[in-house]
Amino acid sequence: MFSKGTKRKFSDGDEEISAESLVGARVASSYSLQRQSLLDMSLIKLQLCHMLVEPNLCRSVLIANTVRQIQEEMTHDGSWHMVTEAFCNPGQSPSERLVATEVLCRSREQDAEPKLFSVISYEGCREEEVVADETLCSVSVSDTVSDVCLAGRMGQCWEKSELSGVERDEEALEDSSLGSGEDEEIDTEDEASTKSPKTTGQVFGTFEIKNGSPGPDSALEELFSDVDTSYYDLDTMLTGMQSAPKMGPYDLLDSLAPSHSSPTIVSTPKCRSDLNELDHIMEIIVGS
Amino acid sequence: MGEDGENTKINHSFLRDYVTEADVISTVEFNQTGDLLATGDKGGRVVIFQRETESKGESEELGESGEYNVYSTFQSHEPDFDYLKSLEIEEKINKIRWLPQQNAAHFLLSTNDKTIKLWKVSERDKRPEGYNLKDEEGRIKDISTVTSLRVPVLKPTDLMVEVRPRRIFANGHTYHVNSISVNSDGETYLSADDLRVNMWHLDITDRSFNIVDIKPANMEDLTEVITAAEFHPQHCHLFVYSSSKGTLRLCDMRDSALCDKHSKIFEEPEDPGNRSFFSEIISSVSDVKFSHSGRYLLTRDYLTVKVWDLNMEKGPVETYQVHEYLRSKLCSLYENDCIFDKFECVWNSTDSVIMTGAYNSFFRMFDRETGRGVTLEAWRESSKPRAVLRTRRIYTGGRRRRGDVGVDSLDFTKKILHMAWHPAENIIAIAATNNLYIFQDRVNAENM
């Protein structure tokens, strides 16, 4: 793995020697900012090349591999954990969470009323898979189980939303994460069924803003103390590192989620059939 | 001489002979004798140049061998549309390869993303005259006006170059064809796309053999694509293909029908010190060429050219830095997509010098014996006809000389991707966007 303090290759040589005199945390966060920005850039590139009439397969594969690399590293770092944890603001009661959800899920013109607990899920996309139970939902905020919801989203999202829908997602993320004011892309809407990706985009936009928030809170730990995530972690380890995770970079386009493979593996058969559909869609996309 | 003193050995004086405006040139290739030079462009056209054989007086020593003039131009591919996928098929010519000459006519293969075509280029300098049934303009005569019979005779006429399509090899590729290579057996050739390599017989268009298939069962698992492929120059059963992960696989067609299992795999272990998120992208091989001897392989990745010995799989025997100063700029180059540019590389006739392109209209030559490299520029403004090519330098620190170019002032839109080296002499053809430069080695007696 990279030692954050010494990693320079990423930047354009902008990081001067003075960076070494910074506190380690600052260097680390600057590194993760750069890494995040690279991830965003890559995801946008991927979506752009899906828009092209004849996507250059080599370029797509190389970008996808880059995304995979970043995602793996962020998994090892636990940055994804931080990202998802950012949601479980310990001070919030469940109802507050719902309100937050509502705010987060509110978005584009076509969005229906925000679904409860859809903070991780895709708006309007497979209500049947929305975790209705509040308890489960709170569990869902943890990085692993949340991915179950995401996994469930995956196939359907591919089905419902067209590619440019996914792109909107990307742009939303990019906007929020980079904190820049570019919103021109978000407004151009083609597909009707792009609510969910956009929602998630906004959702993850919020993630980004909270990225720097402090680590786990004791109240949070308490809340989840009885949840045994070891199985999921093991799965993450095993599947995340082997081949391209089932929720690979193409899924990232959709979810912008940590692509722990575990949710895919432990998820319901419904998710599996979604993945088959995903494969099918992917085949069409890459023109096989 | 006025040249950079460090590189006298290979820094011959190159003269600019010919520059032409065309569409963006996408491929350049000499035929086996070097008398013909073919270029393909983005508009689907092929332009063939022929070398003038007459020397002007005693010009052999001065190197004033013939110039290249346009011999023929034809439209090879037209824009197409894939109705099934609702995708356009570009007419851009990706590669041209000449067949070895067997009779008076010349044959070449040209390919776009999907379809390979075999063209016959022939000359006609006579035409029959004196038909009985047709008049001078070719109109059918009224039979009642024919009173006697005569035998048509062949009369000399102005030279005409005819180009006709002889074979069309279609529907062999789902993905984009990136390479074609004619086999030394003279009967077959291979074509490679992102995921498959097919072998064709030159006479059979409705069938091809798939000899490599790296398409995964689940496209989501796809992490590697084929970037280039070539037959061995002497052994008709051997071919090599390169991948986007920087590996080369040598396959022997005698092993099995489907050469998914390589005979040899050439791979350089990653340098942990230089690792970054862009490591894989810059290791992707954009071009692979066998040496004329068949003993070595030349590969180009984003920052280097490497020479590999077929007998040694664990790493290249020589590595040359093309533009190492770009390593710190990889993020920007990734952003503007320049990191995906596919540069070609070529051997000279004796396999002693290798050449490849770079940015800012620069191209690089490396002398394998001394290990030294030189930077040259293909830019109309700075070279007049018969002018001597100036070596250039990129300023990367230290004492800055006049004429040095700073890294930040490099023009990344001016990229030299395609080039060719004459099979026998020191003549090079460089494609710089829509300009073709032909440089000839003006061998200077004193310099040698």
Side-chain angles (χ1 to χ4, degrees):
Chain A
M1 284 316 307
F2 304 98
S3 159
K4 289 191 184 56
T6 58
K7 175 140 179 70
R8 293 273 187 277
K9 306 294 181 281
F10 201 146
S11 70
D12 289 348
D14 287 348
E15 285 197 332
E16 301 296 345
I17 307 297
S18 58
E20 282 166 343
S21 63
L22 292 175
V23 200
R26 231 200 289 176
V27 176
S29 75
S30 139
Y31 167 77
S32 18
L33 273 176
Q34 286 183 335
R35 181 175 62 186
Q36 186 62 49
S37 134
L38 180 66
L39 177 65
D40 300 339
M41 199 198 308
S42 306
L43 292 172
I44 290 186
K45 278 183 183 302
L46 271 181
Q47 80 194 14
L48 278 178
C49 72
H50 285 153
M51 278 171 75
L52 285 178
V53 171
E54 284 267 54
N56 182 339
L57 188 63
C58 182
R59 179 176 170 273
S60 306
V61 167
L62 288 173
I63 298 173
N65 290 350
T66 307
V67 166
R68 223 174 255 128
Q69 266 187 65
I70 297 175
Q71 153 197 322
E72 275 174 19
E73 189 183 284
M74 288 178 97
T75 304
H76 293 149
D77 277 356
S79 309
W80 281 126
H81 183 70
M82 270 177 63
V83 165
T84 51
E85 247 187 27
F87 266 147
C88 24
N89 194 328
Q92 275 181 340
S93 67
S95 56
E96 282 176 21
R97 259 203 300 278
L98 294 181
V99 169
T101 300
E102 210 172 286
V103 169
L104 292 172
C105 294
R106 172 208 61 206
S107 68
R108 320 296 168 82
E109 318 76 23
Q110 287 122 319
D111 277 341
E113 80 285 354
K115 297 284 184 287
L116 293 185
F117 314 109
S118 59
V119 56
I120 315 282
S121 71
Y122 288 82
E123 173 83 23
C125 214
R126 320 137 293 294
E127 292 78 6
E128 64 273 16
E129 290 183 355
V130 170
V131 185
D133 179 55
E134 189 178 303
T135 313
L136 272 182
C137 186
S138 53
V139 172
S140 82
V141 211
S142 83
D143 57 344
T144 52
V145 185
S146 69
D147 299 325
V148 178
C149 302
L150 283 161
R153 299 302 154 261
M154 239 38 75
Q156 300 269 4
C157 255
W158 274 115
E159 244 185 313
K160 287 202 177 186
S161 63
E162 301 208 19
L163 294 167
S164 43
V166 175
E167 292 136 27
R168 301 293 162 267
D169 194 16
E170 293 315 305
E171 286 141 6
L173 170 67
E174 157 112 320
D175 284 355
S176 316
S177 61
L178 298 183
S180 56
E182 63 230 5
D183 52 0
E184 63 277 10
E185 287 152 342
I186 303 184
D187 296 326
T188 61
E189 213 33 64
D190 312 324
E191 281 68 24
S193 56
T194 51
K195 335 175 184 186
S196 353
K198 283 175 293 182
T199 304
T200 309
Q202 287 189 317
V203 159
F204 281 89
T206 314
F207 277 143
E208 294 315 306
I209 293 167
K210 288 186 179 177
N211 206 6
S213 65
D217 187 276
S218 58
L220 178 63
E221 306 261 336
E222 208 177 347
L223 189 61
F224 298 146
S225 58
D226 58 336
V227 175
D228 177 23
T229 55
S230 58
Y231 177 62
Y232 297 118
D233 291 338
L234 180 63
D235 242 325
T236 307
M237 292 282 291
L238 289 177
T239 53
M241 288 203 244
Q242 279 166 4
S243 55
K246 271 299 174 189
M247 293 163 56
Y250 304 111
D251 303 313
L252 261 192
L253 281 179
D254 203 34
S255 68
L256 299 176
S259 57
H260 296 284
S261 311
S262 50
T264 320
I265 309 303
V266 304
S267 61
T268 64
K270 183 108 174 63
C271 295
R272 227 172 251 289
S273 69
D274 291 341
L275 289 167
N276 289 336
E277 282 159 335
L278 174 54
D279 293 349
H280 176 61
I281 302 291
M282 276 312 303
E283 287 219 0
I284 293 174
I285 290 163
V286 299
S288 61
Chain B
M1 290 294 301
E3 275 114 42
D4 198 338
E6 313 166 352
N7 301 293
T8 43
K9 180 130 197 242
I10 64 167
N11 195 11
H12 313 295
S13 351
F14 282 93
L15 309 178
R16 197 205 72 170
D17 264 7
Y18 196 91
V19 169
T20 183
E21 290 278 353
D23 213 353
V24 174
I25 298 173
S26 50
T27 184
V28 189
E29 183 79 353
F30 281 100
N31 74 338
Q32 278 77 4
T33 59
D35 288 335
L36 294 176
L37 173 67
T39 63
D41 64 25
K42 248 179 107 185
R45 276 171 318 210
V46 172
V47 180
I48 303 177
F49 296 86
Q50 186 186 47
R51 191 176 185 190
E52 297 304 321
T53 47
E54 307 161 39
S55 3
K56 300 167 170 108
E58 299 176 18
S59 45
E60 282 301 319
E61 284 151 56
L62 292 180
E64 281 182 271
S65 356
E67 299 186 353
Y68 282 84
N69 297 316
V70 177
Y71 180 63
S72 176
T73 304
F74 62 97
Q75 187 74 31
S76 170
H77 287 72
E78 299 275 0
D80 205 349
F81 194 77
D82 182 341
Y83 294 96
L84 208 57
K85 298 182 209 164
S86 286
L87 291 174
E88 277 181 14
I89 301 174
E90 280 190 325
E91 69 274 28
K92 172 168 76 90
I93 309 293
N94 292 336
K95 280 289 184 306
I96 290 175
R97 289 289 182 264
W98 292 90
L99 267 56
Q101 192 177 10
Q102 287 176 331
N103 50 39
H106 299 276
F107 289 85
L108 64 82
L109 287 168
S110 66
T111 184
N112 67 347
D113 283 338
K114 298 286 183 187
T115 305
I116 305 131
K117 295 187 183 178
L118 177 68
W119 296 89
K120 177 178 179 183
V121 184
S122 48
E123 291 182 4
R124 183 187 291 205
D125 58 359
K126 298 180 190 41
R127 71 182 186 97
E129 272 180 33
Y131 283 106
N132 291 297
L133 298 175
K134 288 191 284 186
D135 65 14
E136 299 303 313
E137 279 87 42
R139 287 177 301 218
I140 306 288
K141 278 192 207 174
D142 184 3
I143 293 206
S144 55
T145 64
V146 178
T147 52
S148 62
L149 287 179
R150 54 186 174 163
V151 176
V153 292
L154 288 173
K155 294 250 171 80
T157 181
D158 292 336
L159 180 65
M160 271 194 330
V161 180
E162 287 184 334
V163 183
R164 291 221 168 89
R166 298 302 299 211
R167 304 270 189 274
I168 299 190
F169 304 92
N171 304 318
H173 290 279
T174 308
Y175 302 97
H176 293 179
V177 176
N178 52 54
S179 317
I180 48 176
S181 175
V182 182
N183 204 349
S184 53
D185 67 6
E187 292 186 346
T188 57
Y189 73 95
L190 65 75
S191 57
D193 65 28
D194 294 315
L195 297 179
R196 297 189 177 100
V197 180
N198 291 337
M199 189 167 89
W200 305 78
H201 191 284
L202 283 165
D203 291 335
I204 300 172
T205 59
D206 60 356
R207 251 185 326 226
S208 77
F209 289 103
N210 176 239
I211 49 179
V212 175
D213 188 340
I214 63 168
K215 179 169 185 258
N218 178 3
M219 278 298 277
E220 276 223 320
D221 297 336
L222 180 64
T223 56
E224 193 173 9
V225 299
I226 298 172
T227 51
E230 196 180 56
F231 267 121
H232 191 282
Q234 282 98 36
H235 302 301
C236 57
H237 52 87
L238 285 181
F239 68 94
V240 70
Y241 70 92
S242 59
S243 82
S244 56
K245 287 202 170 165
T247 63
L248 305 170
R249 287 175 175 84
L250 185 73
C251 298
D252 190 331
M253 293 195 290
R254 299 171 300 186
D255 283 344
S256 66
L258 186 62
C259 297
D260 275 355
K261 226 169 138 253
H262 50 263
S263 295
K264 293 193 183 184
I265 180 163
F266 299 84
E267 205 169 0
E268 185 174 25
E270 207 177 357
D271 173 15
N274 260 339
R275 197 163 174 349
S276 74
F277 285 119
F278 306 110
S279 294
E280 187 186 308
I281 300 179
I282 62 171
S283 73
S284 172
V285 174
S286 55
D287 194 17
V288 64
K289 293 267 172 44
F290 275 100
S291 64
H292 292 91
S293 62
R295 163 99 187 261
Y296 297 99
L297 281 168
L298 178 66
T299 60
R300 174 72 153 98
D301 50 66
Y302 192 63
L303 296 180
T304 70
V305 278
K306 296 183 164 113
V307 176
W308 305 73
D309 187 327
L310 278 187
N311 301 318
M312 191 171 96
E313 299 168 66
K314 63 174 161 45
V317 291
E318 294 157 31
T319 302
Y320 301 93
Q321 303 293 337
V322 179
H323 36 208
E324 176 69 11
Y325 45 81
L326 293 184
R327 191 179 286 275
S328 56
K329 308 271 177 222
L330 289 180
C331 196
S332 317
L333 295 165
Y334 179 72
E335 192 171 0
N336 63 18
D337 268 7
C338 281
I339 208 174
F340 301 107
D341 287 335
K342 293 194 187 317
F343 293 94
E344 291 173 9
C345 53
V346 291
W347 296 90
N348 76 335
S349 51
T350 55
D351 298 337
S352 57
V353 178
I354 56 186
M355 180 171 73
T356 188
Y359 293 107
N360 209 65
S361 304
F362 290 163
F363 58 101
R364 300 268 278 146
M365 272 194 209
F366 300 96
D367 182 346
R368 291 183 61 209
E369 285 163 52
T370 63
R372 292 188 162 266
V374 69
T375 304
L376 301 162
E377 186 178 18
W379 181 230
R380 201 204 307 227
E381 301 302 326
S382 65
S383 56
K384 306 174 185 35
R386 320 239 82 135
V388 167
L389 257 187
R390 211 160 51 99
T391 60
R392 305 303 310 269
R393 266 170 44 107
I394 312 287
Y395 174 66
T396 51
R399 191 171 68 94
R400 182 160 192 159
R401 294 195 222 166
R402 195 167 61 92
D404 280 5
V405 181
V407 179
D408 292 320
S409 52
L410 292 175
D411 188 343
F412 289 94
T413 61
K414 293 192 166 57
K415 36 194 116 181
I416 308 257
L417 302 172
H418 312 290
M419 49 183 36
W421 201 306
H422 191 285
E425 298 180 36
N426 279 346
I427 304 174
I428 56 178
I430 309 278
T433 322
N434 54 356
N435 291 321
L436 176 72
Y437 291 84
I438 300 178
F439 299 106
Q440 291 191 3
D441 183 9
R442 183 176 177 275
V443 176
N444 190 319
E446 306 150 38
N447 213 15
M448 300 305 277

